[in-house]
Amino acid sequence: MGSFDKHRDFVERYDRGTPPYDDISDEEALDRYREAVAGRSEEDFHDSAQEAFSRMSPEERATFGVQLRDQSDQRDLGFPGQSAQEDRFEDPELLARVTTRANREHPELLESLLKGGSAGLVGGTMGDGVTGGEGASGGEGGMTSNPAAKVALVGIAAALVRRSMNGGQSVP
């Protein structure tokens, strides 16, 4: 399967799938996310993030936003929205802005949410050897699925890929 076909297949599975996209592995989600984000403008990322978050339920957005904020707090990154309450993360535009800033300033933070499991703990993914509690990543490069992070990253990647396939424009 060629690269174009592989990306089209990914977008089609996202479009017909149901979160947490069981037919898309965590590894594939990360691979497609990394490929889709590479070299993209901040505006494309923001618009794709907003599109992805608009498709998520308010509860999924709030969960992802809180995990992103908490992961940032654990690393003392001075993350935007640190004082934001959970219900504010239900807003797709706010969450897109926060996620775009995270991608710009600390791109590894977004990936670590998927790698870190539902507790949002990094579990040694930054090479510090510290493991989190329940839900943390275990073993060499192992991943424990985090449904909210997976839905967000798969959605952002699919929206970015769709934009590339459609000459920079999103087609819902």
Side-chain angles (χ1 to χ4, degrees):
M1 185 180 296
S3 180
F4 181 80
D5 291 333
K6 180 173 53 172
H7 288 121
R8 186 179 63 218
D9 174 65
F10 175 75
V11 171
E12 287 172 357
R13 285 185 289 142
Y14 170 73
D15 286 342
R16 73 173 177 261
T18 308
Y21 306 101
D22 293 330
D23 63 337
I24 299 173
S25 70
D26 292 357
E27 185 176 345
E28 181 183 12
L30 279 175
D31 288 347
R32 297 296 161 262
Y33 176 79
R34 288 174 180 150
E35 291 169 5
V37 170
R40 298 308 294 264
S41 72
E42 190 168 313
E43 181 181 1
D44 276 349
F45 183 91
H46 173 272
D47 292 348
S48 296
Q50 186 170 354
E51 179 181 327
F53 295 138
S54 294
R55 290 182 60 160
M56 293 169 65
S57 72
E59 295 80 18
E60 289 171 322
R61 290 190 296 265
T63 297
F64 178 74
V66 167
Q67 290 173 349
L68 191 58
R69 181 195 63 205
D70 292 351
Q71 183 77 288
S72 175
D73 288 350
Q74 288 178 7
R75 297 180 184 194
D76 291 325
L77 299 179
F79 192 70
Q82 274 184 307
S83 62
Q85 294 183 357
E86 185 173 326
D87 61 344
R88 291 204 49 223
F89 288 124
E90 292 178 8
D91 175 12
E93 169 55 28
L94 171 72
L95 194 53
R97 283 195 319 267
V98 168
T99 304
T100 299
R101 180 172 171 197
N103 182 64
R104 178 181 68 238
E105 296 178 6
H106 305 285
E108 75 288 348
L109 183 65
L110 298 173
E111 293 182 17
S112 72
L113 286 175
L114 182 60
K115 292 177 183 177
S118 61
L121 301 172
V122 87
T125 59
M126 295 302 292
D128 60 6
V130 176
T131 57
E134 188 176 328
S137 176
E140 291 291 316
M143 288 187 262
T144 302
S145 185
N146 176 340
K150 185 174 182 178
V151 170
L153 294 186
V154 167
I156 292 169
L160 283 166
V161 168
R162 190 179 297 112
R163 285 175 180 280
S164 293
M165 292 169 40
N166 294 312
Q169 298 298 315
S170 179
V171 178

